[in-house]
Amino acid sequence: MRRLTFENSRGESITFYRDPFVIESLTGISEVDSSIQGQVSPYQDGDTYVDTILQPRYPTLECAIKYTNLQEIKAYRKEVLRVCNPKLGLGKLTLELDGDVKEIHATLDSVPTFPDKGENAYQRFMIVWKCPNPYWRDPQEVSRALRAYEGKFTFPFTFPVQFGIEGDVTTLQNDGDTSTPVTISIQGPISRPMIENRTTGKHITVNTTLSPEEILYIDTSRQHKRVEIYRGNQIIRAMGYLNHNSDFWELEVGDNEIRYRADEGLAEAIAAISWHNQYVGM
C-alpha cells in the first residue's frame, strides 16, 4: 500500500491514494542527493574526506483525478490548488508505505501542474515538494523523564563535605539512521540545571534559577535552536543564560547515556527529553 497525505500550515489536508486521486508515480522518497565535503593541503594529491552532506529532498508525485465529469474534475482541481499552495510555507507530508508510516516537513516547490487532458479519460497532474530537512521521521515523538540532582555543596564548608546527590542517569536509544536533535523541558523550582550526553561528552548548562511557576525549554535542532523560559503567557529569551561551554547536543545512533543534575532542586523538578527518530529513506 502506498498512501501520501499532505497537511498545509492552515491545517488543511489532502490524501493521494485511490479515490479520487490515484497515484501513478511517486519518486524522491528514498533517493536524495548528497555532497561530499573535502579539504586540500598544499601539494596534496586528491583531497581529505571531511563529511557528507545530504541535500534537500524533492518528493515528486504524478497523480490522476479518477473522475471524468468536468464539474467534478474542476472541483478536485480547485481542492489540490487550495491545499497545495506554495505561499503557505512549510507543511507536513505523511507517507504510509507497506505498513510503515513516516513524516517529513515540506513546502511546495511550485504550483501543481495540470497538463491538457487531450484524449485522456482522466485529468493528470504533478506536484513537487521541497523538504529542507531531508530526513524522514517517526510520527510518534519519544519522550523520557528524569529527576534532578539535589545540591548540598555550599561555601564556606567544613569537613566532611557533602557535594550533592547524583541526579538521574539513564540510557536513551536512538533507533534512527542518523543523529537527532532533542527538546528539553524542565519545570522549576531548580537552579543551574545541566543535561549531559555522556556518550558524546557534550552538555547544556543554563545559569539561572527557575521558580515553581517557570518552565525552561531547550530545542537543539539546527533549524530551530533556542532556549526559552515560559512564565505564564510570557516567553523570555534565555540564550544569554547558557554556560559558555555548552553544546546543543544530539542523540547519536544507538545508546546514549544521559545525566541530569542541578546546583539546587526539588524532586518535583522533572526534565522531559523528547525526540523523533530520523531516517535517510523509506
Side-chain angles (χ1 to χ4, degrees), residues 149-153 161-167 261-263:
Y149 165 102
E150 181 184 349
K152 298 293 184 180
F153 182 45
V161 181
Q162 185 175 6
F163 286 92
I165 301 171
E166 187 71 24
R261 58 182 295 179
D263 285 355

mmCIF file with all atom_site columns, all heavy atoms in Angstrom, residues 149-153 161-167 261-263:
data_model
loop_
_atom_site.group_PDB
_atom_site.id
_atom_site.type_symbol
_atom_site.label_atom_id
_atom_site.label_alt_id
_atom_site.label_comp_id
_atom_site.label_asym_id
_atom_site.label_entity_id
_atom_site.label_seq_id
_atom_site.pdbx_PDB_ins_code
_atom_site.Cartn_x
_atom_site.Cartn_y
_atom_site.Cartn_z
_atom_site.occupancy
_atom_site.B_iso_or_equiv
_atom_site.pdbx_formal_charge
_atom_site.auth_seq_id
_atom_site.auth_comp_id
_atom_site.auth_asym_id
_atom_site.auth_atom_id
_atom_site.pdbx_PDB_model_num
ATOM 1   N N   . TYR A 1 149 ? 19.278 16.505 40.249 1.00 0.00 ? 149 TYR A N   1
ATOM 2   C CA  . TYR A 1 149 ? 20.307 16.411 41.281 1.00 0.00 ? 149 TYR A CA  1
ATOM 3   C C   . TYR A 1 149 ? 19.942 17.371 42.413 1.00 0.00 ? 149 TYR A C   1
ATOM 4   O O   . TYR A 1 149 ? 19.447 18.475 42.181 1.00 0.00 ? 149 TYR A O   1
ATOM 5   C CB  . TYR A 1 149 ? 21.615 16.819 40.619 1.00 0.00 ? 149 TYR A CB  1
ATOM 6   C CG  . TYR A 1 149 ? 22.790 17.151 41.489 1.00 0.00 ? 149 TYR A CG  1
ATOM 7   C CD1 . TYR A 1 149 ? 23.806 16.231 41.663 1.00 0.00 ? 149 TYR A CD1 1
ATOM 8   C CD2 . TYR A 1 149 ? 22.921 18.406 42.060 1.00 0.00 ? 149 TYR A CD2 1
ATOM 9   C CE1 . TYR A 1 149 ? 24.926 16.556 42.397 1.00 0.00 ? 149 TYR A CE1 1
ATOM 10  C CE2 . TYR A 1 149 ? 24.036 18.727 42.802 1.00 0.00 ? 149 TYR A CE2 1
ATOM 11  C CZ  . TYR A 1 149 ? 25.037 17.806 42.969 1.00 0.00 ? 149 TYR A CZ  1
ATOM 12  O OH  . TYR A 1 149 ? 26.151 18.133 43.678 1.00 0.00 ? 149 TYR A OH  1
ATOM 13  N N   . GLU A 1 150 ? 20.165 16.983 43.636 1.00 0.00 ? 150 GLU A N   1
ATOM 14  C CA  . GLU A 1 150 ? 19.919 17.868 44.777 1.00 0.00 ? 150 GLU A CA  1
ATOM 15  C C   . GLU A 1 150 ? 21.258 18.343 45.323 1.00 0.00 ? 150 GLU A C   1
ATOM 16  O O   . GLU A 1 150 ? 22.044 17.571 45.862 1.00 0.00 ? 150 GLU A O   1
ATOM 17  C CB  . GLU A 1 150 ? 19.123 17.131 45.867 1.00 0.00 ? 150 GLU A CB  1
ATOM 18  C CG  . GLU A 1 150 ? 18.815 18.007 47.068 1.00 0.00 ? 150 GLU A CG  1
ATOM 19  C CD  . GLU A 1 150 ? 18.116 17.226 48.163 1.00 0.00 ? 150 GLU A CD  1
ATOM 20  O OE1 . GLU A 1 150 ? 17.699 16.083 47.912 1.00 0.00 ? 150 GLU A OE1 1
ATOM 21  O OE2 . GLU A 1 150 ? 18.011 17.765 49.278 1.00 0.00 ? 150 GLU A OE2 1
ATOM 22  N N   . GLY A 1 151 ? 21.557 19.614 45.168 1.00 0.00 ? 151 GLY A N   1
ATOM 23  C CA  . GLY A 1 151 ? 22.851 20.148 45.576 1.00 0.00 ? 151 GLY A CA  1
ATOM 24  C C   . GLY A 1 151 ? 22.987 20.279 47.078 1.00 0.00 ? 151 GLY A C   1
ATOM 25  O O   . GLY A 1 151 ? 22.054 20.645 47.770 1.00 0.00 ? 151 GLY A O   1
ATOM 26  N N   . LYS A 1 152 ? 24.182 20.006 47.593 1.00 0.00 ? 152 LYS A N   1
ATOM 27  C CA  . LYS A 1 152 ? 24.458 20.118 49.026 1.00 0.00 ? 152 LYS A CA  1
ATOM 28  C C   . LYS A 1 152 ? 25.714 20.947 49.290 1.00 0.00 ? 152 LYS A C   1
ATOM 29  O O   . LYS A 1 152 ? 25.988 21.290 50.427 1.00 0.00 ? 152 LYS A O   1
ATOM 30  C CB  . LYS A 1 152 ? 24.651 18.722 49.636 1.00 0.00 ? 152 LYS A CB  1
ATOM 31  C CG  . LYS A 1 152 ? 23.421 17.815 49.523 1.00 0.00 ? 152 LYS A CG  1
ATOM 32  C CD  . LYS A 1 152 ? 22.276 18.313 50.363 1.00 0.00 ? 152 LYS A CD  1
ATOM 33  C CE  . LYS A 1 152 ? 21.100 17.340 50.321 1.00 0.00 ? 152 LYS A CE  1
ATOM 34  N NZ  . LYS A 1 152 ? 19.965 17.804 51.133 1.00 0.00 ? 152 LYS A NZ  1
ATOM 35  N N   . PHE A 1 153 ? 26.473 21.270 48.262 1.00 0.00 ? 153 PHE A N   1
ATOM 36  C CA  . PHE A 1 153 ? 27.774 21.886 48.430 1.00 0.00 ? 153 PHE A CA  1
ATOM 37  C C   . PHE A 1 153 ? 27.644 23.406 48.538 1.00 0.00 ? 153 PHE A C   1
ATOM 38  O O   . PHE A 1 153 ? 27.134 24.063 47.640 1.00 0.00 ? 153 PHE A O   1
ATOM 39  C CB  . PHE A 1 153 ? 28.657 21.512 47.234 1.00 0.00 ? 153 PHE A CB  1
ATOM 40  C CG  . PHE A 1 153 ? 30.056 22.045 47.322 1.00 0.00 ? 153 PHE A CG  1
ATOM 41  C CD1 . PHE A 1 153 ? 30.785 21.951 48.493 1.00 0.00 ? 153 PHE A CD1 1
ATOM 42  C CD2 . PHE A 1 153 ? 30.642 22.648 46.214 1.00 0.00 ? 153 PHE A CD2 1
ATOM 43  C CE1 . PHE A 1 153 ? 32.081 22.425 48.559 1.00 0.00 ? 153 PHE A CE1 1
ATOM 44  C CE2 . PHE A 1 153 ? 31.939 23.127 46.277 1.00 0.00 ? 153 PHE A CE2 1
ATOM 45  C CZ  . PHE A 1 153 ? 32.653 23.021 47.458 1.00 0.00 ? 153 PHE A CZ  1
ATOM 46  N N   . VAL A 1 161 ? 32.619 16.977 53.755 1.00 0.00 ? 161 VAL A N   1
ATOM 47  C CA  . VAL A 1 161 ? 31.856 17.737 52.767 1.00 0.00 ? 161 VAL A CA  1
ATOM 48  C C   . VAL A 1 161 ? 30.886 16.816 52.046 1.00 0.00 ? 161 VAL A C   1
ATOM 49  O O   . VAL A 1 161 ? 31.255 15.721 51.627 1.00 0.00 ? 161 VAL A O   1
ATOM 50  C CB  . VAL A 1 161 ? 32.802 18.393 51.734 1.00 0.00 ? 161 VAL A CB  1
ATOM 51  C CG1 . VAL A 1 161 ? 31.999 19.191 50.721 1.00 0.00 ? 161 VAL A CG1 1
ATOM 52  C CG2 . VAL A 1 161 ? 33.816 19.265 52.435 1.00 0.00 ? 161 VAL A CG2 1
ATOM 53  N N   . GLN A 1 162 ? 29.629 17.268 51.902 1.00 0.00 ? 162 GLN A N   1
ATOM 54  C CA  . GLN A 1 162 ? 28.658 16.526 51.097 1.00 0.00 ? 162 GLN A CA  1
ATOM 55  C C   . GLN A 1 162 ? 28.455 17.316 49.797 1.00 0.00 ? 162 GLN A C   1
ATOM 56  O O   . GLN A 1 162 ? 27.880 18.400 49.787 1.00 0.00 ? 162 GLN A O   1
ATOM 57  C CB  . GLN A 1 162 ? 27.313 16.379 51.827 1.00 0.00 ? 162 GLN A CB  1
ATOM 58  C CG  . GLN A 1 162 ? 26.336 15.505 51.058 1.00 0.00 ? 162 GLN A CG  1
ATOM 59  C CD  . GLN A 1 162 ? 25.062 15.260 51.835 1.00 0.00 ? 162 GLN A CD  1
ATOM 60  O OE1 . GLN A 1 162 ? 24.869 15.835 52.907 1.00 0.00 ? 162 GLN A OE1 1
ATOM 61  N NE2 . GLN A 1 162 ? 24.190 14.422 51.327 1.00 0.00 ? 162 GLN A NE2 1
ATOM 62  N N   . PHE A 1 163 ? 28.988 16.800 48.698 1.00 0.00 ? 163 PHE A N   1
ATOM 63  C CA  . PHE A 1 163 ? 28.990 17.550 47.455 1.00 0.00 ? 163 PHE A CA  1
ATOM 64  C C   . PHE A 1 163 ? 27.669 17.466 46.707 1.00 0.00 ? 163 PHE A C   1
ATOM 65  O O   . PHE A 1 163 ? 27.446 18.215 45.776 1.00 0.00 ? 163 PHE A O   1
ATOM 66  C CB  . PHE A 1 163 ? 30.116 17.055 46.540 1.00 0.00 ? 163 PHE A CB  1
ATOM 67  C CG  . PHE A 1 163 ? 31.472 17.505 46.998 1.00 0.00 ? 163 PHE A CG  1
ATOM 68  C CD1 . PHE A 1 163 ? 32.237 16.706 47.848 1.00 0.00 ? 163 PHE A CD1 1
ATOM 69  C CD2 . PHE A 1 163 ? 31.969 18.723 46.617 1.00 0.00 ? 163 PHE A CD2 1
ATOM 70  C CE1 . PHE A 1 163 ? 33.484 17.128 48.272 1.00 0.00 ? 163 PHE A CE1 1
ATOM 71  C CE2 . PHE A 1 163 ? 33.217 19.155 47.042 1.00 0.00 ? 163 PHE A CE2 1
ATOM 72  C CZ  . PHE A 1 163 ? 33.977 18.350 47.878 1.00 0.00 ? 163 PHE A CZ  1
ATOM 73  N N   . GLY A 1 164 ? 26.788 16.599 47.091 1.00 0.00 ? 164 GLY A N   1
ATOM 74  C CA  . GLY A 1 164 ? 25.496 16.553 46.421 1.00 0.00 ? 164 GLY A CA  1
ATOM 75  C C   . GLY A 1 164 ? 25.061 15.143 46.117 1.00 0.00 ? 164 GLY A C   1
ATOM 76  O O   . GLY A 1 164 ? 25.819 14.189 46.260 1.00 0.00 ? 164 GLY A O   1
ATOM 77  N N   . ILE A 1 165 ? 23.833 15.035 45.734 1.00 0.00 ? 165 ILE A N   1
ATOM 78  C CA  . ILE A 1 165 ? 23.245 13.750 45.396 1.00 0.00 ? 165 ILE A CA  1
ATOM 79  C C   . ILE A 1 165 ? 23.123 13.671 43.885 1.00 0.00 ? 165 ILE A C   1
ATOM 80  O O   . ILE A 1 165 ? 22.577 14.571 43.255 1.00 0.00 ? 165 ILE A O   1
ATOM 81  C CB  . ILE A 1 165 ? 21.860 13.594 46.046 1.00 0.00 ? 165 ILE A CB  1
ATOM 82  C CG1 . ILE A 1 165 ? 21.990 13.706 47.574 1.00 0.00 ? 165 ILE A CG1 1
ATOM 83  C CG2 . ILE A 1 165 ? 21.216 12.279 45.649 1.00 0.00 ? 165 ILE A CG2 1
ATOM 84  C CD1 . ILE A 1 165 ? 20.663 13.788 48.277 1.00 0.00 ? 165 ILE A CD1 1
ATOM 85  N N   . GLU A 1 166 ? 23.684 12.639 43.298 1.00 0.00 ? 166 GLU A N   1
ATOM 86  C CA  . GLU A 1 166 ? 23.676 12.490 41.839 1.00 0.00 ? 166 GLU A CA  1
ATOM 87  C C   . GLU A 1 166 ? 22.249 12.417 41.322 1.00 0.00 ? 166 GLU A C   1
ATOM 88  O O   . GLU A 1 166 ? 21.387 11.768 41.907 1.00 0.00 ? 166 GLU A O   1
ATOM 89  C CB  . GLU A 1 166 ? 24.421 11.212 41.450 1.00 0.00 ? 166 GLU A CB  1
ATOM 90  C CG  . GLU A 1 166 ? 24.617 11.038 39.962 1.00 0.00 ? 166 GLU A CG  1
ATOM 91  C CD  . GLU A 1 166 ? 25.636 12.014 39.421 1.00 0.00 ? 166 GLU A CD  1
ATOM 92  O OE1 . GLU A 1 166 ? 26.479 12.476 40.189 1.00 0.00 ? 166 GLU A OE1 1
ATOM 93  O OE2 . GLU A 1 166 ? 25.566 12.315 38.223 1.00 0.00 ? 166 GLU A OE2 1
ATOM 94  N N   . GLY A 1 167 ? 21.991 13.130 40.235 1.00 0.00 ? 167 GLY A N   1
ATOM 95  C CA  . GLY A 1 167 ? 20.678 13.070 39.618 1.00 0.00 ? 167 GLY A CA  1
ATOM 96  C C   . GLY A 1 167 ? 20.531 11.821 38.778 1.00 0.00 ? 167 GLY A C   1
ATOM 97  O O   . GLY A 1 167 ? 21.377 10.935 38.784 1.00 0.00 ? 167 GLY A O   1
ATOM 98  N N   . ARG A 1 261 ? 21.384 16.982 36.266 1.00 0.00 ? 261 ARG A N   1
ATOM 99  C CA  . ARG A 1 261 ? 21.739 17.436 37.604 1.00 0.00 ? 261 ARG A CA  1
ATOM 100 C C   . ARG A 1 261 ? 21.509 18.943 37.703 1.00 0.00 ? 261 ARG A C   1
ATOM 101 O O   . ARG A 1 261 ? 21.237 19.613 36.703 1.00 0.00 ? 261 ARG A O   1
ATOM 102 C CB  . ARG A 1 261 ? 23.203 17.103 37.933 1.00 0.00 ? 261 ARG A CB  1
ATOM 103 C CG  . ARG A 1 261 ? 24.195 17.703 36.974 1.00 0.00 ? 261 ARG A CG  1
ATOM 104 C CD  . ARG A 1 261 ? 25.616 17.306 37.308 1.00 0.00 ? 261 ARG A CD  1
ATOM 105 N NE  . ARG A 1 261 ? 26.037 17.849 38.598 1.00 0.00 ? 261 ARG A NE  1
ATOM 106 C CZ  . ARG A 1 261 ? 27.233 17.639 39.131 1.00 0.00 ? 261 ARG A CZ  1
ATOM 107 N NH1 . ARG A 1 261 ? 28.121 16.877 38.476 1.00 0.00 ? 261 ARG A NH1 1
ATOM 108 N NH2 . ARG A 1 261 ? 27.572 18.162 40.277 1.00 0.00 ? 261 ARG A NH2 1
ATOM 109 N N   . ALA A 1 262 ? 21.648 19.486 38.939 1.00 0.00 ? 262 ALA A N   1
ATOM 110 C CA  . ALA A 1 262 ? 21.485 20.921 39.162 1.00 0.00 ? 262 ALA A CA  1
ATOM 111 C C   . ALA A 1 262 ? 22.165 21.283 40.463 1.00 0.00 ? 262 ALA A C   1
ATOM 112 O O   . ALA A 1 262 ? 22.466 20.426 41.292 1.00 0.00 ? 262 ALA A O   1
ATOM 113 C CB  . ALA A 1 262 ? 20.008 21.287 39.211 1.00 0.00 ? 262 ALA A CB  1
ATOM 114 N N   . ASP A 1 263 ? 22.427 22.586 40.651 1.00 0.00 ? 263 ASP A N   1
ATOM 115 C CA  . ASP A 1 263 ? 23.002 23.035 41.915 1.00 0.00 ? 263 ASP A CA  1
ATOM 116 C C   . ASP A 1 263 ? 22.003 22.888 43.051 1.00 0.00 ? 263 ASP A C   1
ATOM 117 O O   . ASP A 1 263 ? 22.350 22.494 44.159 1.00 0.00 ? 263 ASP A O   1
ATOM 118 C CB  . ASP A 1 263 ? 23.434 24.502 41.806 1.00 0.00 ? 263 ASP A CB  1
ATOM 119 C CG  . ASP A 1 263 ? 24.706 24.660 40.988 1.00 0.00 ? 263 ASP A CG  1
ATOM 120 O OD1 . ASP A 1 263 ? 25.285 23.621 40.598 1.00 0.00 ? 263 ASP A OD1 1
ATOM 121 O OD2 . ASP A 1 263 ? 25.115 25.799 40.734 1.00 0.00 ? 263 ASP A OD2 1
#
